[in-house]
Amino acid sequence: MRTTRLRFPACLATLSVVFSAQGVESGPQISPPNWWANMGASTLQLMVHAPDIAGSTVSVGDSTFKIDKVSSLDSKNYLFIDVDTSDLMPGDYALTFSKQGKQLYSALYTIEKRAHNSANRQGFNQKDTIYLVTPDRFANGDPSNDSVSGLQDKANRSAPGGRHGGDIQGLIDQLDYISSTGFTQIWSMPLLENAMDDHSYHGYAITDFYEIDPRYGTNSQYRQFSHQAGDEGVGIIMDMVLNHIGSNHPWMEDMPAKNWINHDGQFSPTTHRRESLHDPHGVQADQQAFSDGWFVPSMPDLNQRNPYLANYLIQNAIWWVEYANLSGIRVDTYSYSDKAFLSDWTARLTSEYPNLNIVGEEWTTNPVITAYWQAGSYRADNYASSLPSVMDFPLQDTLVNALKDKETWGTGLVSLYNLLAGDFIYGDPYNLVIFGDNHDMSRIYTQLEESYPLWDMAMTFLLTSRGIPQVYYGTEILMANPDSDDHGIIRSDFPGGWQGDKVNAFTQKGLSDEQRQAYNRIKSLLALRKDHPVVATGKFTHFAPADGIYVYFRTNDAGEGAMVILNKNNEVASVALSRFEPVLKRFSTAVGWQDKQSLSVKNAKVDVAPQSATVWLLQ
């Protein structure tokens, strides 16, 4: 059995362990490592891990620390304590663990004072633009932690799948770049410990749910990052993994319960047939083959039907929101977890934090399946979901094809129009996260065959359409992955993030003219969203594309508006505005966002440059 790791978290060492005189070498590891007074739910379940602790009795020196139940499962090294926190005040509480009248362990458990108005924190929303970062590949702020003793996967910047050294300090160092560009949220791929033998940089094979990987930094440094980002007006979205763990997680050598891992802890691959969850003609066996199967042997699939594991994952999410002052959560491989658990998980999180935004990854191009998970959507099976947002993969796929395909009656821009016309299936289409690419697919510049005009149209659309836009790091400087779909290449190092880099995108040193043009375009669009919020939050109204021209509007009740014209043609197009009178009748003048050209919207025509996206502010 792996030696129990005695943890003194960087969260100000909230858990202190006192050894007994019986000669026990390892003290108890308690999860969550601390909690807070006055949380919405008055229940807390502690997982205690220590040699031979199962079957212990637990006593507390303070009567306000009310223990409802103490449980042992299959492992002799785990104990679960259900606590009624309704009367708990901030402070340290002494826990004593005994067997047959003999004290085995004692520990102090800390209940902290909750931050003011924490429950009402505002999550990310339509006003925001999310910057997605692969932290290992963004900026190396602290070279001293590139390789860490005791962790097998060492720094090797020359290997696409190796660790390159990017870290939390690098993110802190570049907060000014991110905020000055105009991004208002940062979603980082997972930063938790991944004690895997190789390819640990991506972060999705977690081996400790409560500890930042030391090659990235510490818990306290992550909290510092969140606080400093907040000072810059930037929120932090944490990437959470509920479906699986890394095969080097201590649970794989000592499971708290026999059914902790699906398929008895033995690899059995998922079918990836997410359709089985929604099939009215389907069978349960197909559903379980999807949900209970593993991605790969190195990612054991968690069984969230076990109520103790479900509680562990729910409390872990709440703990990080509270500890690191998060503005949102992105949930990896959302639909692969147990459906009933997902219902409970989202209900508990949104009950604790009514305004927190949570976006689930459901990688399908079928909008019916995407919509199923969002709160407020119609579901034939009456499934209860409190998930506020979903990644809009259908829009990503359609946008690329709409820009690349030939303009015909049924292809090209009309496919984008057709998809958006189906938004009625969503509980809230304006709260979907929209994007051109992410860390698991070719970069948008590559997908669009490195055509700058098509890239410009795609980014303009994403930053002026309905939904919450997400931009992958490097998109603003046209990072690409030509001739390779290797994830390590897609997630290449951001130039300038390492000492000695010949190109520095943070200062624009060494960038090509086209890269500078792209950066300035993104920065200008983000400034447009900030200076004219109607572009980001207004009602979306569009007209069916015709002759390679697609026109849509963002308007609000305050009399503000914006008109966006996409011209896919290879020549200048003259667009008569009379067709758009149902929207334009509220306005008298259109002013070009960039050229400041002003014209009357009555019976006017607008000349639009070839292969371009233009924005007009309406007055």
Side-chain angles (χ1 to χ4, degrees):
M1 184 186 76
R2 176 178 298 202
T3 302
T4 303
R5 287 177 293 178
L6 177 58
R7 189 203 320 276
F8 293 89
C11 50
L12 303 181
T14 53
L15 173 63
S16 300
V17 176
V18 181
F19 298 116
S20 68
Q22 276 72 37
V24 178
E25 296 180 355
S26 296
Q29 172 183 305
I30 303 181
S31 303
N34 69 284
W35 204 244
W36 293 265
N38 301 313
M39 297 294 286
S42 61
T43 59
L44 172 65
Q45 187 173 85
L46 303 179
M47 174 193 281
V48 187
H49 185 205
D52 201 34
I53 198 168
S56 295
T57 59
V58 184
S59 59
V60 187
D62 190 315
S63 61
T64 60
F65 196 99
K66 300 175 183 177
I67 296 178
D68 288 338
K69 185 172 67 171
V70 177
S71 306
S72 299
L73 305 181
D74 298 314
S75 170
K76 67 179 182 178
N77 301 315
Y78 285 91
L79 192 72
F80 293 84
I81 308 171
D82 290 338
V83 181
D84 178 354
T85 62
S86 55
D87 295 328
L88 278 181
M89 299 293 289
D92 293 332
Y93 294 85
L95 279 62
T96 301
F97 302 85
S98 304
K99 272 188 179 181
Q100 298 176 343
K102 293 183 179 180
Q103 178 178 323
L104 289 180
Y105 309 101
S106 63
L108 291 179
Y109 194 77
T110 300
I111 300 296
E112 297 189 0
K113 181 180 179 181
R114 197 176 189 190
H116 174 68
N117 210 31
S118 176
N120 296 316
R121 69 185 62 238
Q122 178 59 58
F124 64 90
N125 56 39
Q126 292 178 68
K127 296 179 182 179
D128 290 306
T129 306
I130 302 167
Y131 195 55
L132 166 59
V133 175
T134 302
D136 181 64
R137 308 299 171 85
F138 187 63
N140 188 355
D142 181 7
S144 70
N145 65 11
D146 291 357
S147 296
V148 173
S149 177
L151 295 176
Q152 180 68 29
D153 201 9
K154 307 297 184 183
N156 183 1
R157 196 180 176 197
S158 64
R163 297 195 74 98
H164 291 191
D167 49 30
I168 294 172
Q169 187 58 55
L171 288 166
I172 292 173
D173 292 345
Q174 301 305 332
L175 276 173
D176 182 65
Y177 168 81
I178 295 170
S179 63
S180 64
T181 301
F183 295 105
T184 58
Q185 299 283 333
I186 298 173
W187 155 27
S188 165
M189 289 168 64
L191 291 159
L192 297 182
E193 182 193 271
N194 269 238
M196 302 297 290
D197 297 339
D198 54 54
H199 286 80
S200 65
Y201 79 95
H202 60 69
Y204 291 102
I206 292 170
T207 54
D208 193 321
F209 280 94
Y210 281 99
E211 187 170 337
I212 294 293
D213 193 296
R215 291 162 293 192
Y216 288 134
T218 63
N219 285 21
S220 60
Q221 194 174 32
Y222 181 63
R223 183 158 62 176
Q224 174 194 354
F225 165 54
S226 178
H227 288 168
Q228 289 189 218
D231 291 341
E232 298 266 0
V234 177
I236 300 300
I237 301 168
M238 192 174 198
D239 201 337
M240 295 189 179
V241 186
L242 307 177
N243 178 67
H244 52 264
I245 55 174
S247 56
N248 284 349
H249 195 292
W251 287 340
M252 295 308 294
E253 294 187 12
D254 185 15
M255 293 185 216
K258 292 178 181 178
N259 66 348
W260 206 254
I261 306 294
N262 282 321
H263 294 287
D264 298 320
Q266 301 299 314
F267 174 65
S268 180
T270 176
T271 62
H272 295 289
R273 293 197 180 278
R274 53 187 34 81
E275 296 79 8
S276 64
L277 296 180
H278 316 283
D279 183 1
H281 317 294
V283 295
Q284 185 177 7
D286 286 340
Q287 296 177 5
Q288 289 183 328
F290 166 70
S291 295
D292 293 0
W294 300 21
F295 267 77
V296 290
S298 61
M299 292 182 175
D301 202 75
L302 295 172
N303 174 25
Q304 301 92 1
R305 292 183 295 274
N306 182 299
Y308 294 91
L309 173 58
N311 244 339
Y312 180 94
L313 295 171
I314 290 170
Q315 292 178 164
N316 178 257
I318 293 172
W319 189 88
W320 279 111
V321 172
E322 199 73 22
Y323 171 74
N325 193 33
L326 303 179
S327 67
I329 298 171
R330 181 264 185 182
V331 183
D332 181 62
T333 57
Y334 186 81
S335 64
Y336 287 80
S337 295
D338 179 72
K339 280 180 64 176
F341 161 75
L342 291 172
S343 181
D344 293 341
W345 188 90
T346 55
R348 178 74 183 276
L349 266 292
T350 54
S351 174
E352 192 70 60
Y353 307 102
N355 301 316
L356 182 75
N357 211 346
I358 306 170
V359 57
E361 179 200 29
E362 171 61 299
W363 194 332
T364 176
T365 58
N366 184 344
V368 175
I369 293 178
T370 304
Y372 178 90
W373 298 107
Q374 190 182 33
S377 298
Y378 169 77
R379 285 175 285 272
D381 62 0
N382 295 317
Y383 174 73
S385 176
S386 302
L387 182 70
S389 179
V390 190
M391 305 296 299
D392 196 348
F393 281 91
L395 183 63
Q396 187 281 327
D397 180 70
T398 302
L399 175 61
V400 171
N401 291 330
L403 293 175
K404 291 171 61 177
D405 290 348
K406 184 179 180 181
E407 289 294 310
T408 70
W409 182 86
T411 62
L413 291 173
V414 71
S415 64
L416 191 56
Y417 166 84
N418 290 342
L419 180 79
L420 292 168
D423 271 356
F424 60 86
I425 64 174
Y426 290 106
D428 183 2
Y430 291 87
N431 200 40
L432 299 174
V433 173
I434 62 176
F435 55 100
D437 59 10
N438 66 17
H439 55 295
D440 287 328
M441 62 175 65
S442 287
R443 288 183 170 271
I444 184 64
Y445 191 52
T446 295
Q447 292 185 56
L448 295 174
E449 299 170 349
E450 299 193 8
S451 165
Y452 183 87
L454 294 184
W455 175 92
D456 184 278
M457 281 192 278
M459 299 314 299
T460 303
F461 173 81
L462 288 168
L463 293 173
T464 59
S465 182
R466 65 96 172 113
I468 305 169
Q470 165 247 295
V471 176
Y472 193 29
Y473 82 101
T475 297
E476 72 273 25
I477 57 164
L478 304 179
M479 283 180 65
N481 54 293
D483 305 318
S484 175
D485 60 0
D486 185 299
H487 284 184
I489 301 298
I490 292 169
R491 306 162 184 168
S492 292
D493 295 347
F494 191 82
W498 281 253
Q499 188 175 3
D501 284 358
K502 294 181 180 179
V503 177
N504 188 337
F506 297 119
T507 63
Q508 297 199 353
K509 175 186 176 182
L511 293 182
S512 68
D513 290 343
E514 195 168 57
Q515 286 178 310
R516 290 191 182 93
Q517 181 183 3
Y519 175 79
N520 290 330
R521 178 66 170 179
I522 292 290
K523 186 173 182 178
S524 296
L525 285 165
L526 294 179
L528 171 68
R529 290 173 60 84
K530 180 180 179 181
D531 296 340
H532 301 278
V534 68
V535 173
T537 64
K539 177 185 176 183
F540 181 88
T541 306
H542 64 170
F543 289 76
D547 302 321
I549 302 292
Y550 182 31
V551 180
Y552 59 90
F553 297 83
R554 305 301 299 271
T555 58
N556 62 24
D557 293 337
E560 299 168 320
M563 175 176 64
V564 183
I565 304 176
L566 301 185
N567 176 17
K568 255 185 74 179
N569 298 293
N570 292 320
E571 60 276 340
V572 173
S574 182
V575 180
L577 298 185
S578 57
R579 181 185 173 210
F580 314 116
E581 190 268 345
V583 176
L584 289 176
K585 64 183 179 182
R586 300 173 50 198
F587 304 96
S588 60
T589 306
V591 178
W593 161 53
Q594 292 177 292
D595 62 14
K596 307 305 178 184
Q597 175 188 356
S598 178
L599 55 87
S600 171
V601 299
K602 307 297 183 183
N603 302 315
K605 287 188 177 181
V606 176
D607 289 335
V608 185
Q611 288 202 315
S612 70
T614 56
V615 181
W616 297 77
L617 298 172
L618 303 175
Q619 301 172 354

